[in-house]
Amino acid sequence: KDIAYSHQLTQTMSKTDRLRAQDNIAVESDGFLRGIELQIYPQRAQNKLIARRALLKYQTYLQTQRTDITPEQKATAMRAASEKLSAWS
């Protein structure tokens, strides 16, 4: 019954309303899968963990070894490293 009712609804909806409904379904689907993404793709979870550890090591390096640069430069370096690691993972 629900399927027939939803089919009737889509038949009476305008094209714009149908597209909006499809977009809402797509957004909800993305939100639903977001929680299980790392369960489905274990390699991605492992890559995220490696990236997080590398970023923490780099932060420690900047704080202990690179005393010659300003805090703003350190923040810029951390941001760049984070972007690269996020793209990789």
Side-chain angles (χ1 to χ4, degrees), residues 17-36:
D17 290 338
R18 277 185 266 155
L19 290 174
R20 284 185 187 146
Q22 289 173 352
D23 287 344
N24 286 339
I25 291 170
V27 169
E28 290 174 9
S29 296
D30 289 344
F32 170 73
L33 294 177
R34 197 166 185 79
I36 60 171

Side-chain angles (χ1 to χ4, degrees), residues 28-47:
E28 290 174 9
S29 296
D30 289 344
F32 170 73
L33 294 177
R34 197 166 185 79
I36 60 171
E37 175 187 359
L38 298 179
Q39 299 294 328
I40 296 172
Y41 304 106
Q43 184 64 43
R44 183 166 166 80
Q46 185 178 6
N47 289 349

Side-chain angles (χ1 to χ4, degrees), residues 62-63 66-67 69-79:
L62 287 175
Q63 290 174 345
R66 295 300 308 264
T67 55
I69 60 176
T70 66
E72 291 81 16
Q73 289 172 323
K74 289 179 184 179
T76 303
M78 282 294 294
R79 183 174 45 250

Side-chain angles (χ1 to χ4, degrees), residues 4-20:
Y5 179 70
S6 65
H7 181 67
Q8 286 175 340
L9 269 178
T10 56
Q11 294 301 320
T12 60
M13 295 169 69
S14 69
K15 186 175 181 177
T16 305
D17 290 338
R18 277 185 266 155
L19 290 174
R20 284 185 187 146

